[in-house]
Amino acid sequence: SAVAQADYVIRQDPQIHFNKEAISLISGEDAYSDLINPNKVSPITYKSSAWNVCSVDKYGELASSYVKTTQTVTITASFAGDATYKPATATMQVTVVAKEPLSTPVVTPLGGTYTEPVDVTITTDDDRAVTIWYSTTAKDAEEFEDDYTKSVITEGKSVTLTIDKSCTLYVMTR
C-alpha cells in the first residue's frame, strides 16, 4: 500500500493565570498585574478592555488614569501557543476607584459687570491641591478640562490675576 502518515501534537496547558482574579487601584495609582507563568512561556501579550481607565504595558505594569467615577476593566494576558504548549488566556478585573474630588476653588470677586480691569483672587483650602489651573480663553468647561494648553497653571493655594477684557473664567485645582 501507499504510506499513510499522521502527525500528532500533544500540547500541554501552559497554566498561566494572575495571582489575583481582581484588584482595586485608587485613581492615578500604578501596580503590577502579577501574572503567574510557571512554564515560562513567551511571548505574553497584554491588553486592557479600556486603556483610558487602566492601561497595561508589555511587561504587565498597570497604570490607572484619573477617573471621576469608579470603573472596572478587564486585563487580559494571552499566549498564542507553540509546539509544546497550547494557547491560553488569563483575565483579571481591575477596579479603578475614583478619588474624592478636590474642593471647588473660591473666586473673589465672583464675576460681575465692571467698568475697568478687576483683580481676581483664586484660592483653595484643600490640603491635597498642589496647583491652580485657570483659563480665560477656553470656549467652554469641556475644552478647559480636556485641553491643558488653554490653561495657566500655578503652584500653590492662591493666585491673583487681572481681568482686563470681557471673558469667562474657568478654574480648578489639581
Side-chain angles (χ1 to χ4, degrees):
S1 74
V3 175
Q5 177 179 336
D7 295 324
Y8 298 91
V9 177
I10 309 298
R11 296 191 293 178
Q12 302 170 26
D13 181 351
Q15 300 178 17
I16 62 171
H17 61 280
F18 287 104
N19 187 38
K20 295 182 179 177
E21 291 181 15
I23 64 169
S24 291
L25 297 175
I26 301 296
S27 179
E29 282 186 343
D30 297 338
Y32 184 66
S33 62
D34 200 14
L35 181 72
I36 306 300
N37 184 356
N39 297 301
K40 311 283 189 262
V41 297
S42 69
I44 300 290
T45 304
Y46 291 92
K47 292 183 181 176
S48 171
S49 64
W51 287 91
N52 60 331
V53 176
C54 184
S55 62
V56 60
D57 69 12
K58 64 182 180 178
Y59 305 108
E61 293 286 332
L62 304 170
S64 68
S65 299
Y66 290 95
V67 295
K68 294 180 181 180
T69 60
T70 297
Q71 299 178 51
T72 300
V73 302
T74 301
I75 301 299
T76 304
S78 298
F79 172 64
D82 61 18
T84 306
Y85 295 99
K86 64 184 180 180
T89 300
T91 60
M92 174 177 64
Q93 301 300 309
V94 177
T95 300
V96 179
V97 179
K99 289 182 181 179
E100 181 181 332
L102 296 175
S103 299
T104 303
V106 176
V107 178
T108 309
L110 186 58
T113 302
Y114 301 90
T115 57
E116 57 188 44
V118 60
D119 288 337
V120 176
T121 301
I122 304 165
T123 58
T124 181
D125 61 358
D126 195 314
D127 292 335
R128 300 169 298 153
V130 177
T131 57
I132 294 174
W133 294 38
Y134 65 89
S135 175
T136 58
T137 60
K139 66 181 178 192
D140 55 33
E142 183 177 334
E143 180 181 63
F144 171 59
E145 286 187 74
D146 293 343
D147 186 356
Y148 72 91
T149 65
K150 300 282 185 187
S151 301
V152 175
I153 303 167
T154 61
E155 290 188 21
K157 308 257 187 235
S158 178
V159 63
T160 300
L161 63 139
T162 301
I163 303 288
D164 59 2
K165 64 179 185 211
S166 296
C167 66
T168 300
L169 175 65
Y170 296 98
V171 180
M172 76 170 110
T173 55
R174 294 207 172 177

